[in-house]
Amino acid sequence: MPPDTSEGSAPARQHSIAQALNKQGANISAVHNGRGRPAQDRFRIYRNNVIVSLRDALSATFSTTRKLMGEDFFGAAAVAFAQDNRPSSPMIFRYGEDFPAFLSWLPGLKGYPFVPEVAALEYARLQATHAADAPPLAADALSCVPPEGLASVTFTAHPASKLLLLPQGGLGAWQ
């Protein structure tokens, strides 16, 4: 049975609250505290806490990038990113995958194309840290393959490995 999404149902209210959290200019005049009293100020505080939490998550993930950019510039960039990019996973360490590409478009980093590359490297490192474990290839694993069969051997990358293609041309090459 599908969930009740009629106006006033819990799923409908949750959806409208999520929509309002995602839109800075959303109309929240109907928000109340459960007793009929307006709660717009409380809602704005909650929305701000969401953004600050996402900024802090980006700050923890991209600590070297933050040092390269400076606290204020990084903080402003992280807030701008968080306002338009919400986590797609409940695991917060996955948040920020598109942050390096976002940084590549910032006018203030035009002369510093290495900053988004450092950010991409930091994100890949974090994902490798949280990747599933797998046994490495045993040192003698290929010794039992006859020489004529070596050409047909295929290897599977370890879950923690990732190939980073860093742009050579600077800004705009992240697409």
Side-chain angles (χ1 to χ4, degrees), residues 137-138 141-142 145 150-158:
L137 182 66
L142 295 176
V145 178
L150 287 175
S152 64
V153 172
T154 58
F155 296 93
T156 302
H158 190 279

Side-chain angles (χ1 to χ4, degrees), residues 53-128:
S53 296
L54 295 177
R55 181 203 63 200
D56 292 350
L58 291 170
S59 183
T61 299
F62 300 99
S63 59
T64 302
T65 304
R66 184 184 73 240
K67 289 175 186 170
L68 290 171
M69 293 174 67
E71 292 290 335
D72 292 340
F73 186 24
F74 180 89
V79 165
F81 179 81
Q83 287 174 335
D84 291 331
N85 298 275
R86 292 298 196 262
S88 58
S89 168
M91 295 176 282
I92 200 67
F93 71 86
R94 295 195 188 280
Y95 182 62
E97 180 178 13
D98 297 328
F99 191 60
F102 173 83
L103 293 177
S104 73
W105 291 100
L106 288 181
L109 291 177
K110 187 171 185 147
Y112 306 96
F114 60 89
V115 173
E117 294 178 354
V118 169
L121 188 60
E122 283 189 287
Y123 188 79
R125 178 201 50 82
L126 181 66
Q127 299 315 301

Side-chain angles (χ1 to χ4, degrees), residues 148-168:
E148 59 276 1
L150 287 175
S152 64
V153 172
T154 58
F155 296 93
T156 302
H158 190 279
S161 63
K162 178 173 179 149
L163 179 63
L164 280 181
L165 300 174
L166 300 176
Q168 300 277 322

